[in-house]
Amino acid sequence: MNKWPLQSECREFYGNPSSADYDRRNIVNVSVPWMMVTAWDGRQVKNIRVHHKCAQSLGRILAVIWSAAGKSQDVINQWGLNKYGGGYVFRPMRGGKSLSMHAFGCAVDFDPERNPLGGLHPHFKDCPIVLAAFEAEGWTWGGSWQRRDGMHWQAARVG
C-alpha cells in the first residue's frame, strides 16, 4: 500500500501548484476504462487529470473496479462511477483559504449528486468494492470524515 503525504505535506511531496508551469510538469491523464460523463453537463470524459505521482495508483484502482464490475457499464452506472465530479483543478478548499487537494492533482470526485459535501449518507457506503479498491492503494475517502464528502478520494492523509 502507498503511504501518501499528510495534507500539510502536499506542497513538499507534490510541488507548488501556484508555480506557473505546475500543470505542464506534473499533471498527466489517466484513462478511464468505462464510459464516464461530467456530472454537471453530461460531456464525455475519457481521462482523469492527476499528478504523475499518484497516476499509476489511480490507474490500478480503476482497473480493479472495472474488473470487479465484470466490465459491465450497467454495474459502473449503479455504483455511480459513470458520473465524474472532477480531478485536477487549481482552487481553494470549499469554504476555506488553503489549497484544495484537487489543486495538487491528488484528488478525484465521483457521483456528486448522490454524494454531496455534508451529506449524511454517502452512496459509496453501499459500494464496498469501490471503497476497498481505493483503500488498497492508501487513498483517503471523504465519506468517512466528520463533515462528509462522499464523492471525494485523495492521495493524501488527513492526520
Side-chain angles (χ1 to χ4, degrees), residues 30-49:
V30 175
S31 296
V32 181
W34 56 78
M35 174 71 86
M36 188 168 70
V37 297
T38 57
W40 53 91
D41 66 7
R43 284 185 294 125
Q44 186 174 359
V45 176
K46 294 183 180 184
N47 300 295
I48 297 174
R49 297 182 71 219

Side-chain angles (χ1 to χ4, degrees), residues 5-127:
L6 290 168
Q7 285 185 168
S8 62
E9 301 166 341
C10 281
R11 188 174 303 267
E12 181 179 315
F13 184 80
Y14 290 114
N16 180 1
S18 299
S19 65
D21 59 349
Y22 184 83
D23 184 333
R24 181 186 56 76
R25 287 186 302 109
N26 296 294
I27 304 303
V28 298
N29 289 323
V30 175
S31 296
V32 181
W34 56 78
M35 174 71 86
M36 188 168 70
V37 297
T38 57
W40 53 91
D41 66 7
R43 284 185 294 125
Q44 186 174 359
V45 176
K46 294 183 180 184
N47 300 295
I48 297 174
R49 297 182 71 219
V50 295
H51 196 283
H52 68 85
K53 288 186 175 181
C54 57
Q56 287 184 345
S57 175
L58 180 60
R60 287 189 297 268
I61 292 166
L62 299 178
V64 165
I65 291 170
W66 185 230
S67 180
K71 298 186 177 182
S72 167
Q73 184 67 42
D74 289 338
V75 173
I76 292 295
N77 295 354
Q78 289 170 10
W79 290 347
L81 293 166
N82 63 315
K83 301 285 181 153
Y84 180 60
Y88 168 72
V89 63
F90 185 83
R91 66 171 179 83
M93 289 183 185
R94 282 189 259 169
K97 293 182 181 177
S98 299
L99 286 177
S100 166
M101 295 299 103
H102 290 279
F104 291 96
C106 67
V108 295
D109 294 342
F110 295 100
D111 198 8
E113 187 176 312
R114 290 191 289 179
N115 298 283
L117 177 62
L120 298 179
H121 305 288
H123 168 75
F124 286 116
K125 274 192 173 189
D126 299 329
C127 302

